[in-house]
């Protein structure tokens, strides 16, 4: 379902375990806040974590679902600051763009659970990700799931992996991805899915919309 707003469009589609919404921001005159009603079962709570993700817990404190930290990029591939907050029973995504950004912007997490965590990534992006080696992580520092030596979209991808499986497993997973897919014959404009629970597993074919096509 696509909903046209003043200066923006939200597109929501079903996934095997819920739904996903992509926000397309048309200009620097567009709204910066986007509200999504959050229906919680009785006794459940939702909290924005230090890494920007949202954890939903039941009445006994067990995590029942999660929303990974949001991301946003402008049309030139430049990351745009974006955060979650709660307001009047809704989850609000704030996108802090300005007139220097190239429009349109696209915002939304791209990790889905089907039922394992799957990272949607283009062939071109995967070729770069698979080219990372352990040496990249030498001499850098982690601040939550942000690594000091990786910036731009590749830093965002690594951050998304880290949010889902943790720092230690993220570094290990990237090494496995490199071993499994470096030099692989990939279509640059095709959308692939990496099983983050088993990174060496065969790639999944993902809908182009999961990669922002």
């Amino acid at each position: 379902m696509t909903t046209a707003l003043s200066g923006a469009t939200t597109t929501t589609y079903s996934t095997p375990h819920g739904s996903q919404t992509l926000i397309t921001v048309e200009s620097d005159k567009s709204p910066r806040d986007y509200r999504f009603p959050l229906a919680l079962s009785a006794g459940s709570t939702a909290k924005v974590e230090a890494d920007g993700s949202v954890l939903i817990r039941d009445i006994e404190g067990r995590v029942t679902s999660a929303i990974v930290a949001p991301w946003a990029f402008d049309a030139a591939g430049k990351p745009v600051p974006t955060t979650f907050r709660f307001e009047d029973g809704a989850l609000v995504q704030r996108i802090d763009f300005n007139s220097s950004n190239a429009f349109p912007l696209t915002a939304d997490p791209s990790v889905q659970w089907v039922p394992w965590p799957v990272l949607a990534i283009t062939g071109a992006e995967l070729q770069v990700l698979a080219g990372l080696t352990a040496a990249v992580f030498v001499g850098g520092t982690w601040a939550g799931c942000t690594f000091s030596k990786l910036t731009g979209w590749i830093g965002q991808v690594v951050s998304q992996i880290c949010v889902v499986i943790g720092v230690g497993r993220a570094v290990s997973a990237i090494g496995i991805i490199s071993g499994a897919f470096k030099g692989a014959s990939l279509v640059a404009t095709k959308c692939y899915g990496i099983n983050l629970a088993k990174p060496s597993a065969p790639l999944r074919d993902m809908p182009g919309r999961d990669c922002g096509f």
Side-chain angles (χ1 to χ4, degrees):
M1 178 180 68
T2 299
T3 303
L5 306 173
S6 176
T9 301
T10 62
T11 302
T12 301
Y13 54 91
S14 296
T15 69
H17 289 263
S19 63
Q20 185 174 11
T21 299
L22 291 177
I23 305 168
T24 302
V25 180
E26 297 171 1
S27 75
D28 64 346
K29 307 300 182 184
S30 301
R32 285 173 168 75
D33 289 346
Y34 297 85
R35 303 173 63 88
F36 304 97
L38 192 63
L40 300 178
S41 57
S44 293
T45 59
K47 179 185 176 184
V48 179
E49 301 295 312
D51 62 6
S53 64
V54 174
L55 293 182
I56 299 172
R57 295 179 170 85
D58 64 17
I59 195 170
E60 297 179 359
R62 296 173 298 194
V63 175
T64 57
S65 59
I67 305 170
V68 299
W71 59 255
F73 285 90
D74 71 8
K78 178 182 176 181
V80 180
T82 181
T83 55
F84 283 142
R85 73 176 189 274
F86 290 104
E87 187 177 277
D88 299 328
L91 178 66
V92 181
Q93 183 172 353
R94 172 81 176 183
I95 308 172
D96 288 315
F97 53 81
N98 56 54
S99 58
S100 71
N101 290 118
F103 291 85
L105 309 182
T106 301
D108 194 58
S110 62
V111 174
Q112 299 180 47
W113 297 80
V114 290
W116 46 80
V118 173
L119 176 70
I121 188 169
T122 68
E125 292 168 339
L126 178 51
Q127 287 174 338
V128 176
L129 181 64
L132 295 181
T133 65
V136 172
F137 298 97
V138 175
T141 57
W142 290 91
C145 275
T146 299
F147 187 64
S148 61
K149 292 176 65 177
L150 294 174
T151 60
W153 69 265
I154 190 65
Q156 185 65 38
V157 168
V158 171
S159 178
Q160 289 180 42
I161 296 172
C162 172
V163 166
V164 176
I165 62 178
V167 172
R169 291 183 63 195
V171 174
S172 175
I174 291 166
I176 294 170
I177 290 168
S178 178
F181 305 114
K182 186 175 182 179
S185 179
L186 301 170
V187 179
T189 56
K190 183 175 180 179
C191 190
Y192 297 94
I194 299 175
N195 180 348
L196 295 182
K198 189 178 180 182
S200 61
L203 296 171
R204 297 171 61 94
D205 289 335
M206 304 292 283
R209 64 192 179 193
D210 287 4
C211 289
F213 297 161

